[in-house]
Amino acid sequence: MMNNFLSFQIHGNADHGGGIVESVSSLLAFFENLTTQGPGYILSSLLPGIAGMDNIHPLLVHFPIAFLSVFFVLDVIATLAKKPQWRAVAGWFLYAGSIAAVFTVIAGFMAADSVVHGENVHEIMESHEHFGLSVLSLSIALSAWRIKSGGLIQGGANSLFLLLAAMLCVLMVLGADLGGLMVYQYGVAVKAVPVTEGGHDHEHSDEHHHADVPEPEHEHEHNHSHQ
């Protein structure tokens, strides 16, 4: 029976489509087709999202957000738990986040000069840039402080350090919020695709919700009385 199960998993069957063999075969055929195409086609096939971007700022911005957030949370936990080894790891996340912030801010300024936007967005974009520069400046300052102290800050100085780190995260959230506002409300750098009549909608209408509701019991009794 185990042999039959393994055979099903490898070769598939009529009900569940192809198994591993068919999947691997399709993957090999895909890569073989890529070797006959140019670099532009390869990029759009492997990374269609990046290929469709006008700039890489939306891609890079995730790294400082992730690194600096992990740094702050881990540093607070390590301070409370008195784990210097954890704080050392948190420091590396701070350094990585600062480096990522440098490239993100540079890409952000390049994006601001390249994307089309109206006057209603210009002020939001400038505020977004100011938040980005503030995050970059503060993360570099905290990194320099951490390195100068030998990687471990003690006592009241550490309380001030964590307070500034919390402020760093607040500035980062406010900047990210303005970035989302520009994209999702004003459609900055977004190539809108019209929704066709046959488009898929994840929202369910009230009719769909009530379609499976059982008929009230008194209606059944009424029907039986007429039969």
Side-chain angles (χ1 to χ4, degrees):
M1 183 171 179
M2 180 60 69
N3 291 335
N4 292 336
F5 173 76
L6 292 177
S7 177
F8 162 75
Q9 292 296 321
I10 295 175
H11 297 286
N13 68 357
D15 295 332
H16 296 82
I20 297 177
V21 172
E22 184 176 340
S23 299
V24 172
S25 177
S26 299
L27 183 62
L28 292 177
F30 171 73
F31 283 114
E32 182 180 2
N33 181 53
L34 287 182
T35 59
T36 63
Q37 307 295 332
Y41 179 84
I42 294 176
L43 178 63
S44 62
S45 297
L46 295 177
L47 302 170
I50 295 178
M53 289 181 177
D54 292 329
N55 59 83
I56 61 172
H57 177 69
L59 173 66
L60 297 178
V61 74
H62 295 85
F63 292 96
I65 292 176
F67 288 144
L68 295 176
S69 298
V70 172
F71 144 69
F72 175 66
V73 173
L74 184 57
D75 212 38
V76 170
I77 294 175
T79 298
L80 296 176
K82 298 180 179 180
K83 298 287 186 179
Q85 298 88 350
W86 295 4
R87 296 198 64 198
V89 175
W92 285 108
F93 278 106
L94 171 62
Y95 309 146
S98 300
I99 295 173
V102 172
F103 292 101
T104 301
V105 168
I106 293 175
F109 278 109
M110 295 174 62
D113 293 334
S114 62
V115 297
V116 179
H117 59 278
E119 289 296 329
N120 57 341
V121 177
H122 187 71
E123 186 176 349
I124 300 175
M125 185 175 291
E126 286 191 338
S127 298
H128 178 69
E129 291 175 353
H130 293 158
F131 279 121
L133 287 173
S134 299
V135 169
L136 173 61
S137 303
L138 190 52
S139 65
I140 291 177
L142 292 176
S143 297
W145 187 1
R146 192 77 163 237
I147 293 173
K148 186 177 180 180
S149 64
L152 189 61
I153 303 173
Q154 302 282 357
N158 186 57
S159 299
L160 177 59
F161 181 89
L162 291 178
L163 180 62
L164 293 175
M167 185 184 301
L168 170 69
C169 291
V170 171
L171 292 172
M172 193 164 54
V173 170
L174 293 175
D177 178 71
L178 292 182
L181 178 66
M182 287 188 292
V183 172
Y184 294 111
Q185 182 163 331
Y186 293 99
V188 176
V190 174
K191 300 173 182 177
V193 178
V195 179
T196 61
E197 293 183 0
H200 183 74
D201 187 2
H202 286 278
E203 295 183 0
H204 302 286
S205 62
D206 292 337
E207 181 180 356
H208 177 78
H209 280 300
H210 296 290
D212 298 328
V213 176
E215 191 177 358
E217 185 176 350
H218 68 276
E219 291 187 17
H220 283 288
E221 294 176 356
H222 179 75
N223 292 337
H224 285 300
S225 64
H226 284 282
Q227 289 179 354

